[in-house]
Amino acid sequence: MSRFVRASKYRHVFGHPAKKEHGIENVKVTNSAWDTNIISASGQYLSVNWNASGGGAFAILPLPSPFQTIAGFPQKLPDSLPLARSHTAAVLDTDWSPHNDSVVASGGEDGKVMIWKVDASAFDGWGQEGWVPQDFDPVARIDASPRKVGQVMFHPTASNVLASASGEHTVKLWDLANMEEARSVLVGHGDAIQSIAFSSTGNLLATTCRDRKLRLFDPRAGGEAVRIADGHGGIKGSRVVWMGDLDKVATTGFSKMSDRQVAIWETGGLGNVKTIVLDQSSGVMMPFWTDNNILFLAGKGDGNIRYYEYESDALHALSEHKSSDPQRGMCFLPRRALNVGDCEIARAYKVHGSSIEPIAFIVPRKADSFQSDIFPPAASAEPSLSASEFFAGKTAPRNLVDLSSGTSYASTTASASLPTPTALAMPSVSLPTPTPAPAPIARANSYSAPAASPVAPSPAMQHKSYEPSPVTSPVVEPKTVTRSQTTGADTSSAGLKEENVRLTSELRVAREQIRNLELQVESIRANARKAAQLLEG
């Protein structure tokens, strides 16, 4: 038996639950049986699907910390509190904008999608004598579907772009500045959509469905899926999450024998890389990915949270946070809002019973300085694109933030203004440039989120993906080396390293563009087959 122990910076990560006074109590969680996470978090606020009479509602609350209480805010919520109540049926899902911590979207059984803007003054005087709760009002309403809207999700890089999945078995993309019509409608699902996930650049969108299929869409290349694969064999809830900048997605679901599973898929052909059987529990498994290459798995009805480190197409079990309180829902905090001083690499918010409990995942280190090896750059709140640029076909990587200084900068994964996929010439493929959909007529009350303030870029980040073999310099006998020769060799080595980094970045850009071209070719072929079938009919 091998005694080798795999090296990992995160081997001893542990979950640190907050003290009772640091959480939030008297939470009236929704009774809806619809399968979503129930709770969502931005860098400042939480949203929780609420059990309210006379229509649908969700609560908006200040963000609790596992290390301290919320200043000026009651730990036990009053029985009557301000809610976001404008839905006429149960709220099924909420999602906070990655570019504005005060903007949240909601979807409900009434088929409506609503956008809300939170003012910090709304939490002044909660529970004090003479305090009168004032409900939140939406800043925009979208008639998204004649049926329920089960999932909503903001685009990761383009501002004011929102995706919604409805009971019509479609996913629609909206420009929040012009909401009369959806800018893109993704079709082909044979049953209820169970989850949606954007890639890190937002060029692709993955979905899981009750028909047991995993689908991959290019939202700007047509409504049909460009990749379809058989997912988990069981009909119960399946989830999908994109694995950061990797060209892979992770899914959770059930086998035909009702075993809970987690699977890794490569997105080039939606081939299965690895499937792991977890156990035979019945609760839906909620997956969460962090840019530390760690996948967290939390089962509904479980008290534990498992976490795995991804390396070399394998998931290596790190540990498990155990609790006697079964969770009904869970979300994770954006990494840019973590407490790096306490070596907190991730933070979960767990809904159990009538409480919300923060759980910090900490690397046990005693160093006082910033630990750069366990804190890779996080996604910034600065958008990379506007909605009009995205729907016109422009592509850009996420903006990043250095967690040691808080400085935002553009990722060096690609140039600041990437060409559209069709701009890359390929000998064997000739594609027309996609014509963007005509912009709908703007309404007088159309929503526009506040513009992001400009930030000064910081030095470029080093990347780990697609690293070619290092270039080695010729071996020189130590006795014959002079000082000038050593200096020249160091200069040459530095130049080679810079060239290596530049070529690595160009290779990654080229591979991404080639993949996008392949997806567009398949999308055009799928649309052509559909048109031929309609003509024959």
Side-chain angles (χ1 to χ4, degrees):
M1 181 175 178
S2 174
R3 296 179 179 273
F4 175 74
V5 177
R6 189 183 63 89
S8 172
K9 302 184 290 289
Y10 306 107
R11 176 173 300 280
H12 302 293
V13 169
F14 67 95
H16 171 68
K19 297 179 181 179
K20 188 175 182 180
E21 58 268 25
H22 294 171
I24 297 177
E25 294 185 351
N26 199 28
V27 178
K28 300 175 183 178
V29 186
T30 179
N31 291 326
S32 173
W34 182 252
D35 178 30
T36 56
N37 293 350
I38 295 178
I39 185 172
S40 181
S42 72
Q44 295 182 13
Y45 304 107
L46 288 176
S47 57
V48 187
N49 296 358
W50 208 254
N51 182 19
S53 59
F58 67 98
I60 299 174
L61 305 169
L63 194 71
S65 167
F67 307 103
Q68 60 188 13
T69 59
I70 306 173
F73 192 80
Q75 178 249 337
K76 183 176 181 181
L77 297 178
D79 291 331
S80 178
L81 73 161
L83 296 173
R85 293 183 183 270
S86 292
H87 285 277
T88 57
V91 173
L92 300 180
D93 194 26
T94 59
D95 189 49
W96 291 88
S97 169
H99 308 125
N100 190 326
D101 286 335
S102 300
V103 174
V104 61
S106 62
E109 287 187 359
D110 56 1
K112 303 290 191 296
V113 170
M114 298 190 186
I115 311 299
W116 313 75
K117 181 75 167 61
V118 184
D119 190 342
S121 62
F123 303 102
D124 294 341
W126 273 47
Q128 297 179 6
E129 186 176 354
W131 172 71
V132 178
Q134 298 290 329
D135 287 343
F136 297 94
D137 291 320
V139 295
R141 293 177 172 86
I142 304 174
D143 292 327
S145 171
R147 299 187 178 183
K148 63 186 176 187
V149 174
Q151 292 90 17
V152 289
M153 177 172 284
F154 276 98
H155 194 279
T157 60
S159 61
N160 298 341
V161 176
L162 181 73
S164 65
S166 71
E168 300 173 283
H169 309 160
T170 62
V171 178
K172 298 180 181 179
L173 269 68
W174 305 88
D175 178 353
L176 298 185
N178 299 284
M179 299 175 291
E180 294 292 340
E181 294 181 20
R183 295 297 301 269
S184 180
V185 180
L186 311 180
V187 299
H189 299 91
D191 208 327
I193 298 169
Q194 295 174 321
S195 69
I196 60 177
F198 277 111
S199 64
S200 64
T201 60
N203 290 345
L204 302 174
L205 185 140
T207 67
T208 56
C209 182
R210 193 175 171 85
D211 63 8
R212 305 182 183 93
K213 300 290 185 182
L214 173 64
R215 292 176 172 85
L216 196 65
F217 294 87
D218 182 344
R220 298 174 294 185
E224 297 287 343
V226 295
R227 295 277 193 278
I228 302 177
D230 292 328
H232 298 273
I235 199 171
K236 290 186 66 176
S238 178
R239 300 287 193 91
V240 62
V241 63
W242 211 280
M243 299 173 67
D245 291 328
L246 303 175
D247 294 327
K248 293 179 173 63
V249 295
T251 61
T252 58
F254 294 81
S255 70
K256 291 181 179 179
M257 302 301 293
S258 295
D259 296 324
R260 284 200 298 193
Q261 299 175 324
V262 57
I264 305 297
W265 310 78
E266 53 85 19
T267 57
L270 270 194
N272 181 262
V273 176
K274 192 175 187 65
T275 298
I276 300 174
V277 175
L278 300 173
D279 54 34
Q280 291 186 327
S281 296
S282 59
V284 173
M285 191 68 77
M286 299 176 284
F288 304 95
W289 175 264
T290 74
D291 290 332
N292 309 85
N293 282 359
I294 297 178
L295 179 67
F296 290 86
L297 300 177
K300 288 193 172 183
D302 299 354
N304 58 346
I305 304 172
R306 312 174 197 199
Y307 38 104
Y308 300 80
E309 185 173 10
Y310 175 79
E311 185 180 30
S312 302
D313 289 341
L315 290 174
H316 302 278
L318 291 174
S319 188
E320 187 173 353
H321 171 72
K322 296 184 178 180
S323 170
S324 59
D325 299 314
Q327 55 242 5
R328 287 198 56 194
M330 184 171 292
C331 69
F332 272 66
L333 184 70
R335 288 186 57 247
R336 57 185 166 80
L338 293 173
N339 186 344
V340 297
D342 289 313
C343 293
E344 181 189 35
I345 64 165
R347 185 189 301 175
Y349 286 95
K350 170 181 172 178
V351 177
H352 62 89
S354 60
S355 301
I356 298 174
E357 177 187 26
I359 303 172
F361 290 91
I362 296 173
V363 176
R365 291 188 179 179
K366 294 183 179 179
D368 295 330
S369 59
F370 177 75
Q371 306 293 295
S372 59
D373 61 322
I374 61 173
F375 288 108
S380 170
E382 306 295 333
S384 305
L385 299 170
S386 66
S388 58
E389 288 174 330
F390 170 73
F391 287 113
K394 188 175 179 181
T395 300
R398 297 180 296 176
N399 285 332
L400 301 175
V401 58
D402 185 342
L403 295 181
S404 63
S405 63
T407 304
S408 296
Y409 59 93
S411 170
T412 56
T413 301
S415 58
S417 179
L418 280 175
T420 58
T422 53
L424 182 65
M426 292 181 66
S428 60
V429 181
S430 178
L431 291 175
T433 304
T435 303
I441 300 173
R443 299 188 301 180
N445 63 343
S446 61
Y447 162 77
S448 177
S453 57
V455 292
S458 69
M461 170 185 86
Q462 293 183 353
H463 288 271
K464 299 180 180 179
S465 300
Y466 302 113
E467 292 184 356
S469 301
V471 180
T472 58
S473 57
V475 178
V476 182
E477 291 295 329
K479 294 181 180 179
T480 62
V481 176
T482 65
R483 183 180 181 85
S484 61
Q485 288 173 330
T486 304
T487 304
D490 291 342
T491 304
S492 176
S493 177
L496 288 172
K497 288 180 179 179
E498 291 179 1
E499 181 70 8
N500 195 10
V501 171
R502 184 183 66 80
L503 291 175
T504 299
S505 177
E506 291 181 357
L507 176 62
R508 181 164 185 166
V509 173
R511 286 179 174 175
E512 181 177 355
Q513 292 171 336
I514 290 171
R515 185 179 70 252
N516 288 339
L517 276 173
E518 292 173 345
L519 293 175
Q520 287 209 3
V521 169
E522 292 206 12
S523 175
I524 290 172
R525 288 175 177 170
N527 289 337
R529 288 194 296 269
K530 185 176 180 181
Q533 292 173 357
L534 292 174
L535 290 174
E536 291 174 0

